[in-house]
Amino acid sequence: MELNTIQPASGAKHAKRRVGRGIGSGLGKTAGRGHKGQKSRAGGYHKVGFEGGQMPMQRRLPKRGFKSALLKFNAEVNLNQLQQLGVDEVDLAVLKQAGLVGQLVKVVKVIKSGELTKKVALKGIGATAGAKAAIEAAGGSLDA
């Protein structure tokens, strides 16, 4: 292969459509734009969602709901996950290391879902009332 013989793959390049160049081209006169109207004019178009002046759908419908930007910093861990972790002392770093919570998480709470038989000490981690009872019943402790 030589530099002067390099060519694009066949079918990769195609001729640009030349409009408004006479009747014989098939795209003369109106140049494929039809007759009159906003879409036939130069620079004539509208923004997304525009409905010809009618109140657009996104403004006719009511606003609803809210999603807090802070939710990405909160996480929950259940009792089964603590059981499978197999560590005596659990803190935020241990949970992140094990992949049970995301790296951005700052607040973790243990929820009562599943069983816990191992003794687990929680450091800087919250728990629901039911989860707290289950952890203490298994001989564990909370230091939140």
Side-chain angles (χ1 to χ4, degrees):
M1 187 187 344
E2 302 288 327
L3 280 176
N4 63 338
T5 61
I6 295 174
Q7 285 186 320
S10 62
K13 299 284 224 169
H14 51 85
K16 195 167 185 324
R17 176 176 291 159
R18 296 187 75 215
V19 297
R21 289 293 179 272
I23 202 166
S25 70
L27 285 168
K29 195 179 170 229
T30 54
R33 287 170 171 259
H35 290 279
K36 297 188 181 174
Q38 190 177 22
K39 294 204 270 194
S40 73
R41 317 276 186 212
Y45 222 68
H46 52 78
K47 59 181 142 189
V48 175
F50 184 69
E51 298 181 19
Q54 171 177 295
M55 188 62 69
M57 181 68 80
Q58 74 269 22
R59 291 191 56 201
R60 285 198 304 262
L61 297 174
K63 291 195 281 187
R64 189 165 189 274
F66 169 76
K67 186 166 183 179
S68 172
L70 299 174
L71 285 176
K72 62 184 171 213
F73 301 115
N74 299 340
E76 4 180 273
V77 177
N78 62 34
L79 294 174
N80 275 346
Q81 290 170 319
L82 285 181
Q83 176 85 10
Q84 289 167 359
L85 201 56
V87 181
D88 296 336
E89 213 169 271
V90 178
D91 63 357
L92 193 55
V94 170
L95 294 174
K96 285 182 180 180
Q97 191 77 35
L100 290 178
V101 298
Q103 292 301 314
L104 292 175
V105 170
K106 293 179 180 161
V107 179
V108 178
K109 200 167 204 182
V110 180
I111 57 171
K112 188 187 177 208
S113 174
E115 304 265 321
L116 181 68
T117 55
K118 292 181 180 172
K119 181 181 173 184
V120 176
L122 300 181
K123 301 271 186 224
I125 294 173
T128 62
K132 186 176 181 182
I135 290 165
E136 288 170 349
S141 64
L142 274 91
D143 176 39

